Amino acid sequence: GQNIDQPTEMTATEGAIVQINCTYQTSGFNGLFWYQQHAGEAPTFLSYNVLDGLEEKGRFSSFLSRSKGYSYLLLKELQMKDSASYLCAVRDNYGQNFVFGPGTRLSVLP
Amino acid sequence: EAQVTQNPRYLITVTGKKLTVTCSQNMNHEYMSWYRQDPGLGLRQIYYSMNVEVTDKGDVPEGYKVSRKEKRNFPLILESPSPNQTSLYFCASSNLGSPLHFGNGTRLTVT
């Protein structure tokens, strides 16, 4: 079976740091992806992990532990424009199909 | 420019009138997929395709058809649309080792 879980909503303050967690149980694993989606727009790619550890890209970092079925997205120096939904996705089985989590809606307050 | 192109962006139609939403990618990607997104339900996969002439059902395939006759195109067909298919639809593509690239979306309203 396929199951990906994320918190539904989170709130943080401008300038702060926020961590969005993702846990997964999927049949096969070929990478975990994080996407950002503003309301009514297409998701845009943020980060990708296939090996355990931390990947850093500017204000965004993503961590993966394959043995625990766990990932997180870390957003630093939050800005108002970071208010969006953040989607966790796992590529599984044949190495091509993507399974998405329900998404976490982040609100950044002044 | 590398992109996934969906058309139309907006569509209002009536129950039972067959429609097709087109999706085309210019990146020679093998994998293509269709999703629908409804408030509070996240992205739900309708159909996906690993390559030409290879398609598989996703989580919510009922009421939809797809075809993959050429690598670049993956149209979504609604033979007899119903109001519960009112949604925001996304097409996406990728190759092994690359992230999913999404089209800009099609907002469909069925009255």
Side-chain angles (χ1 to χ4, degrees), chain B residues 23-78:
Chain B
C23 175
S24 180
Q25 50 91 7
N26 62 1
M27 296 167 279
N28 201 36
H29 283 167
E30 292 182 343
Y31 174 89
M32 297 186 75
S33 183
W34 276 103
Y35 300 88
R36 62 176 288 174
Q37 189 171 40
D38 304 289
L41 292 178
L43 281 172
R44 292 185 292 168
Q45 191 177 47
I46 303 171
Y47 271 95
Y48 65 98
S49 170
M50 297 291 195
N51 213 325
V52 175
E53 302 291 0
V54 180
T55 62
D56 282 294
K57 295 178 181 178
D59 298 318
V60 287
E62 294 77 20
Y64 304 93
K65 285 174 56 177
V66 293
S67 69
R68 188 89 184 275
K69 293 184 170 61
E70 322 162 83
K71 203 171 193 178
R72 65 183 294 124
N73 295 322
F74 191 44
L76 180 69
I77 303 153
L78 285 73

Side-chain angles (χ1 to χ4, degrees), chain A residues 22-95:
Chain A
C22 170
T23 57
Y24 65 90
Q25 291 175 304
T26 56
S27 48
F29 178 86
N30 281 286
L32 189 140
F33 297 77
W34 284 96
Y35 287 82
Q36 180 191 61
Q37 186 182 26
H38 288 98
E41 298 182 9
T44 55
F45 170 69
L46 287 177
S47 188
Y48 164 58
N49 296 72
V50 65
L51 299 175
D52 291 353
L54 189 68
E55 291 285 338
E56 297 188 79
K57 290 176 77 172
R59 292 191 300 117
F60 297 89
S61 303
S62 58
F63 172 83
L64 174 68
S65 169
R66 288 172 295 169
S67 62
K68 295 181 180 177
Y70 169 70
S71 175
Y72 67 73
L73 179 69
L74 196 69
L75 291 78
K76 303 174 190 172
E77 301 168 17
L78 280 173
Q79 302 173 10
M80 300 297 289
K81 67 178 182 179
D82 296 329
S83 292
S85 289
Y86 292 85
L87 312 179
C88 168
V90 173
R91 184 153 53 192
D92 76 341
N93 274 0
Y94 307 108

Side-chain angles (χ1 to χ4, degrees), chain B residues 90-102:
Chain B
F90 289 104
C91 179
S93 72
S94 85
N95 266 347
L96 191 61
S98 76
L100 266 181
H101 297 256
F102 283 86

